[in-house]
Amino acid sequence: MGFMSRSARAAVCGLVLATVTGGSVFAADYTLNINTALTTSDPLYKGLEDLKKNVEARSEGKLAIRLFPGSQLGKDEDVLEQARAGAGNAVVVDGGRLAVFVNDFGVLSGPYLASGYEGIRKVVTSPLMDEWAKKLHDGAQLQILSFNWWQGERHLLTNKPIKVPADLSGIRMRTPGAPVWTETVKAMGATPAPMAWADVYSALQTQVIDAVEAQDPASYGSRLYEVTKYLTKTGHFNLITGLVTSAAWFDALPPDLQIILKEESLKSGDVASHGTEAALADIEAKMTAAGMTIDEIDTTPFKEATAGVYEKLGYSDLKKQVDAILAQ
């Protein structure tokens, strides 16, 4: 397992956390800290609360889960590194960020890959995903618990109307820093400006950036309707994310707790994803009521503009495999 800090050793050994389950107090043998950039109002966070409740009950308090919204444990990339070092930390993360460890994951964040949750769920519960997960475990010391945490399709938030890719010329748009994200934003016509999600509101307010692309629950949770005027429904990314933790920490769990954690992660991912589906119309209604203009457009020009991203990043063959799974 290599060198490990005192905090990481404590996480692996699962030191002391009291958990209330069914009215009784148990001393947890293991503790998993889950970090997310999302707020507590996000439907996905409700899925994490569901996971916490069910894992603690089913394990009879042996495995405790602590939730850290608003990136309290650090940026996603930092938490991944903590996990790689053996800490009992997990993070809700997209395939683009995992592509630095196993390149294949990047295809999950490609433009217009799938429509809606049910389509992309076929891919992330397939044998192809199992192959990638093993590579990630063995090569990067990271363990996927489940990858079916759907956060919605991502749209453009700007201060001017957008109809076609040419309208994005000269616009500095925040996006995560992974290549598949930045190349897509470039192909759409904007200038990518990678930065942490927590910095987006102030960056828009001070005009450090001109625009952002994001899914509705995150946009609403971060009150981006206060600093942008238009939401253009491009749906360019179908944001599927996974719950990823330390391989060393996970491997040190008793087999029964490993099973509980993976099974409940998959179940709660479905809860979170269906909750997101159910919330989208209401979220857009609230943003409209707050003064934002929401535009439905013909996305064909954006699909055509971004079609070359897969080939540019070397994902052409992998895209064919994914398309075959989606066609099943």
Side-chain angles (χ1 to χ4, degrees):
M1 210 178 296
F3 172 76
M4 210 176 282
S5 68
R6 180 179 299 173
S7 60
R9 286 197 302 272
V12 171
C13 293
L15 296 182
V16 296
L17 181 74
T19 305
V20 178
T21 307
S24 301
V25 178
F26 297 88
D29 298 321
Y30 301 90
T31 301
L32 180 63
N33 302 311
I34 300 178
N35 187 72
T36 176
L38 303 174
T39 64
T40 56
S41 64
D42 195 286
L44 186 137
Y45 190 82
K46 306 305 179 187
L48 293 176
E49 291 178 323
D50 183 78
L51 175 65
K52 171 182 169 64
K53 178 185 70 177
N54 293 337
V55 166
E56 291 179 351
R58 190 172 161 191
S59 71
E60 298 182 328
K62 296 183 182 71
L63 176 55
I65 290 180
R66 300 171 67 201
L67 304 178
F68 294 86
S71 298
Q72 293 175 27
L73 296 182
K75 295 188 301 181
D76 292 350
E77 293 85 353
D78 293 342
V79 179
L80 284 174
E81 288 306 315
Q82 294 162 17
R84 294 185 72 205
N89 292 346
V91 62
V92 180
V93 68
D94 62 272
R97 287 186 175 89
L98 296 181
V100 298
F101 307 112
V102 176
N103 187 54
D104 291 352
F105 276 99
V107 76
L108 294 175
S109 295
Y112 298 104
L113 183 69
S115 178
Y117 176 53
E118 292 308 322
I120 197 66
R121 192 186 189 280
K122 291 182 183 179
V123 180
V124 297
T125 56
S126 70
L128 185 61
M129 170 59 79
D130 294 338
E131 291 176 20
W132 301 346
K134 188 176 189 313
K135 290 179 185 177
L136 190 70
H137 176 282
D138 296 347
Q141 297 79 52
L142 291 170
Q143 172 69 45
I144 290 176
L145 300 178
S146 69
F147 218 92
N148 61 323
W149 297 73
W150 186 71
Q151 299 187 38
E153 294 177 337
R154 288 170 78 99
H155 306 302
L156 307 181
L157 289 91
T158 62
N159 281 304
K160 73 170 192 175
I162 304 295
K163 300 297 181 186
V164 293
D167 294 336
L168 292 172
S169 178
I171 286 183
R172 295 161 297 172
M173 179 175 292
R174 182 272 175 185
T175 197
V180 69
W181 298 79
T182 56
E183 289 299 330
T184 298
V185 167
K186 281 183 193 175
M188 292 174 74
T191 300
M195 68 172 59
W197 179 254
D199 299 330
V200 168
Y201 185 99
S202 61
L204 285 165
Q205 195 172 41
T206 57
Q207 299 181 347
V208 170
I209 56 174
D210 308 304
V212 62
E213 51 84 33
Q215 67 277 18
D216 286 349
S219 299
Y220 182 73
S222 294
R223 306 176 69 88
L224 296 187
Y225 52 82
E226 295 178 346
V227 285
T228 55
K229 296 177 182 177
Y230 296 90
L231 188 153
T232 305
K233 297 186 69 172
T234 48
H236 51 280
F237 293 133
N238 191 19
L239 184 56
I240 191 74
T241 52
L243 193 53
V244 181
T245 190
S246 162
W249 179 86
F250 182 83
D251 290 347
L253 288 177
D256 63 322
L257 295 185
Q258 292 180 0
I259 291 170
I260 287 171
L261 189 53
K262 290 191 75 172
E263 289 182 350
E264 295 302 331
S265 293
L266 187 67
K267 290 177 186 176
S268 294
D270 283 335
V271 169
S273 301
H274 292 309
T276 296
E277 286 180 316
L280 292 177
D282 182 56
I283 288 172
E284 290 188 358
K286 288 177 179 177
M287 288 195 285
T288 299
M292 175 166 266
T293 298
I294 298 181
D295 289 331
E296 299 267 5
I297 63 163
D298 177 8
T299 59
T300 303
F302 290 93
K303 291 178 180 177
E304 293 173 346
T306 58
V309 168
Y310 292 99
E311 183 177 0
K312 184 169 186 177
L313 294 176
Y315 288 136
S316 296
D317 290 342
L318 198 55
K319 174 72 159 52
K320 291 176 184 176
Q321 293 181 58
V322 170
D323 286 344
I325 294 171
L326 290 169
Q328 292 174 4

